[in-house]
Amino acid sequence: MVKLTKSQDDHGKSREEIISEWVAQQSQAARQGRKARRLPEGEATVTINSLMDAMTIILVFLLMNYSIDPLRVDSSEDLKLPPSTTDINPEPSATVTITAKGIVVNDEVVATLNADGQVDKTKKLGGDETALQIQPLFEALNEEASRQKEVSRLAGSRFDGLLTVIAHGETPYRLVTEVLYTAGQAEFSRYKFAVLKGGQRGT
Amino acid sequence: MARSKKKTISTEIEDLNLVPIMNLVVCLIPMVLVGMSLVKIGVINVNAPRFGMGQAEPSDDEEKPLGLTIAIAEDGFRLTATGADINTELGEAPAAPAGDPAAAAMPQPGVFIAKNGDVYNYTELYNKLVVLKDNHADETIVNLTADAKIPFKFVIKVMDSIRFRLETDKYDDAESFTAASPKMESNQQVLLWPDVVFAVAKQ
């Protein structure tokens, strides 16, 4: 008791009182600090770490699939590929796309089709309706063949003359043969038809 | 007794700010999704087309090729062959389309496979082509032609039906034909008529 009396300061507080006051102040400051870090009433945060992980995995998966796909087909009402039971994968090659409205080479429409799915006779060789050669297609494919030959020459390989035909399922057979004939005239000699995998036989 | 003062160092680590990265990933995923097609694309190999139905006659000491042709018409399939009497081989009377006496008078009008209602009879086509393959085991080439307006998707379905031999040589209904798996030998699919050549008669 004597000691306590001695420890009294000028304000008349004992040492224990000062200590307990200081502890109370510290804990109040800590409480206020925690409270200050807290969001205002009614708001919350979302932990996005796990979401970030999932999105990174999805992004890597999509990029891998994107990079190994040698043939890209943007399906639409005008370009619905026929289904097939084939399991052969496409190879990089020149492509001709036959939609319900036109024939496309290298993203450029070279000929438009009429309502019957035929090319206008003025676009055919000699303006003859029965001709098989579609002149604007021939010119586009000839240019593509020349370009590929030049690339093959520089690469020291041989021009393989491979052409992938991406055709709408409702394309008339006559037009398909006209496209193949024209491609043959432009020195493309190997053909592949692009189809949708997973079709059923005989249905 | 001297009391050591413990300095408290803040060990709290600020959370990594992932929001910019999240923004980037959220933008990239739709871009990649738009750029890629989720459907699996396959291809079917075809041989260079032959235009005009004429064929060089083999010399007497050469064995005459079968020259099998499948024609897709509005009402069904017609099988013809230049090198053999397929009517006899298939045990079918020369079946010309009804009301076509000119075709009936031809020496080999071929075999006609009528549609089942509105659906082509792929099952019967397969059954007959298996018999022809058994009789001409070395032959692999089949000419494929169609009426001018026949949609391309039917051409693909015919090719799917004739390329590979299935588990059984004869099917009675379309369901079992659709459900059948290809016949395997030495871990490879057994081929039936794999070399399809497109043919079109000039108009």
Side-chain angles (χ1 to χ4, degrees):
Chain A
M1 289 300 287
V2 176
K3 198 177 178 182
L4 280 176
T5 310
K6 280 182 180 174
S7 66
Q8 281 177 336
D9 63 5
D10 297 339
H11 295 92
K13 290 181 183 175
S14 67
R15 183 182 180 85
E16 281 72 21
E17 282 172 337
I18 292 168
I19 291 172
S20 62
E21 203 172 278
W22 181 83
V23 168
Q25 279 173 357
Q26 289 300 309
S27 54
Q28 190 182 358
R31 275 200 303 275
Q32 281 174 345
R34 282 198 296 272
K35 198 174 177 181
R37 283 200 295 272
R38 249 183 256 149
L39 288 168
E41 196 74 22
E43 288 188 23
T45 56
V46 179
T47 308
I48 58 171
N49 286 350
S50 51
L51 186 64
M52 186 70 199
D53 292 345
M55 284 202 159
T56 306
I57 291 167
I58 291 169
L59 185 64
V60 169
F61 171 77
L62 290 177
L63 284 173
M64 279 180 68
N65 273 321
Y66 188 77
S67 59
I68 60 172
D69 198 357
L71 187 67
R72 281 183 52 209
V73 178
D74 299 323
S75 286
S76 67
E77 278 299 309
D78 293 335
L79 183 57
K80 283 186 179 169
L81 296 188
S84 168
T85 57
T86 187
D87 54 1
I88 305 171
N89 291 319
E91 296 173 29
S93 70
T95 58
V96 171
T97 306
I98 311 173
T99 71
K101 290 180 179 165
I103 302 172
V104 181
V105 177
N106 290 336
D107 296 330
E108 191 179 329
V109 179
V110 295
T112 52
L113 305 178
N114 60 22
D116 293 335
Q118 295 297 332
V119 176
D120 190 80
K121 66 178 181 181
T122 56
K123 299 281 177 64
K124 291 191 175 178
L125 185 66
D128 180 6
E129 196 173 11
T130 60
L132 288 166
Q133 185 166 319
I134 303 166
Q135 207 55 25
L137 176 64
F138 171 73
E139 286 160 13
L141 287 177
N142 215 15
E143 194 179 319
E144 177 66 21
S146 303
R147 196 184 62 79
Q148 288 202 4
K149 280 179 194 167
E150 185 63 18
V151 171
S152 302
R153 190 183 64 78
L154 293 171
S157 58
R158 240 183 73 219
F159 172 60
D160 60 358
L162 176 62
L163 181 74
T164 303
V165 179
I166 305 165
H168 182 50
E170 300 295 331
T171 306
Y173 179 74
R174 169 78 187 180
L175 181 62
V176 175
T177 54
E178 285 174 359
V179 169
L180 292 183
Y181 177 83
T182 306
Q185 298 304 304
E187 296 186 54
F188 285 98
S189 54
R190 293 170 56 218
Y191 308 102
K192 289 174 185 284
F193 285 130
V195 290
L196 286 185
K197 280 184 177 177
Q200 284 192 316
R201 189 187 314 106
T203 54
Chain B
M1 193 170 106
R3 294 180 65 188
S4 62
K5 286 187 180 176
K6 288 183 181 174
K7 285 187 179 178
T8 54
I9 298 168
S10 173
T11 53
E12 285 184 20
I13 300 169
E14 286 291 322
D15 284 342
L16 190 65
N17 187 9
L18 293 171
V19 174
I21 305 169
M22 277 293 289
N23 289 342
L24 182 69
V25 171
V26 167
C27 290
L28 277 174
I29 287 177
M31 278 174 62
V32 175
L33 278 174
V34 167
M36 73 182 294
S37 55
L38 292 175
V39 288
K40 288 287 175 193
I41 306 291
V43 290
I44 297 179
N45 298 329
V46 290
N47 294 335
R50 189 165 57 78
F51 295 93
M53 302 300 284
Q55 201 168 11
E57 287 292 323
S59 57
D60 292 341
D61 54 342
E62 286 179 21
E63 193 182 343
K64 204 174 178 185
L66 179 61
L68 178 65
T69 299
I70 302 171
I72 310 171
E74 294 286 351
D75 51 356
F77 302 123
R78 282 188 185 83
L79 304 182
T80 53
T82 55
D85 181 3
I86 60 170
N87 292 93
T88 308
E89 290 184 18
L90 295 171
E92 297 257 351
D100 190 354
M106 286 169 65
Q108 285 182 28
V111 174
F112 179 64
I113 303 168
K115 273 183 170 178
N116 271 343
D118 291 337
V119 184
Y120 284 107
N121 194 341
Y122 301 103
T123 311
E124 194 56 30
L125 176 67
Y126 171 80
N127 292 342
K128 291 197 183 320
L129 287 183
V130 168
V131 173
L132 290 176
K133 180 69 178 182
D134 289 342
N135 293 346
H136 307 271
D138 294 336
E139 293 277 351
T140 58
I141 298 171
V142 59
N143 302 308
L144 186 58
T145 186
D147 288 355
K149 290 188 176 175
I150 295 292
F152 173 63
K153 62 185 177 186
F154 294 120
V155 176
I156 297 294
K157 285 179 191 296
V158 168
M159 290 167 73
D160 279 349
S161 301
I162 65 173
R163 272 182 301 150
F164 298 108
R165 193 183 274 265
L166 303 179
E167 292 160 323
T168 314
D169 289 345
K170 186 173 170 59
Y171 292 90
D172 295 325
D173 55 84
E175 287 76 20
S176 55
F177 176 64
T178 302
S181 301
K183 188 176 184 179
M184 304 294 282
E185 274 182 11
S186 308
N187 219 13
Q188 285 194 326
Q189 295 182 348
V190 179
L191 300 173
L192 189 63
W193 295 94
D195 296 327
V196 175
V197 178
F198 278 78
V200 61
K202 277 191 177 180
Q203 287 180 344

